[in-house]
Amino acid sequence: CQDALRRGYRPAAPLVLFLGADDDWTAPGPCEALGRQVGAEVRVYPGAFHAFDAPGEGVRLRRDVPGGVRPGSGVHAGPEPAAREDARRRVLERLGALGR
């Protein structure tokens, strides 16, 4: 989102951003700022890390990812069931609205 902010990104369609508040792989702050700038719907889920919408069990530390918010420290990724269900419901609502 940082590059998009610098380049003055403008979406061609309504934009909805679902972000994990604790995402240390892709920090949510720049995406929140981008969303505000372009009038997107932005949902930030407390306690959610990167890949919060993935199936599976538990958040894990991935040391194989060189970047992230704290380079060299690894990043956290994994599901947050309540956030996943809310995001899924919102996506389906949006898609349903397109068919009306």
Side-chain angles (χ1 to χ4, degrees):
C1 291
Q2 290 177 7
D3 286 343
L5 269 170
R6 282 193 291 269
R7 293 184 179 136
Y9 171 78
R10 293 284 177 235
L15 181 64
V16 181
L17 299 170
F18 300 107
L19 310 169
D22 296 333
D23 192 333
D24 56 0
W25 189 334
T26 305
C31 292
E32 288 179 87
L34 177 66
R36 282 191 304 272
Q37 180 176 303
V38 301
E41 177 185 343
V42 179
R43 297 282 175 190
V44 182
Y45 296 102
F49 291 95
H50 198 83
F52 71 84
D53 58 339
E57 298 287 327
V59 173
R60 65 185 183 107
L61 176 62
R62 293 196 47 188
R63 295 196 182 275
D64 61 317
V65 177
V69 174
R70 293 175 297 282
S73 298
V75 298
H76 295 85
E80 201 309 299
R84 178 180 59 238
E85 288 307 311
D86 185 73
R88 180 179 185 279
R89 180 182 58 77
R90 290 175 185 282
V91 166
L92 292 174
E93 285 174 358
R94 283 288 184 131
L95 292 174
L98 291 175
R100 292 184 197 146

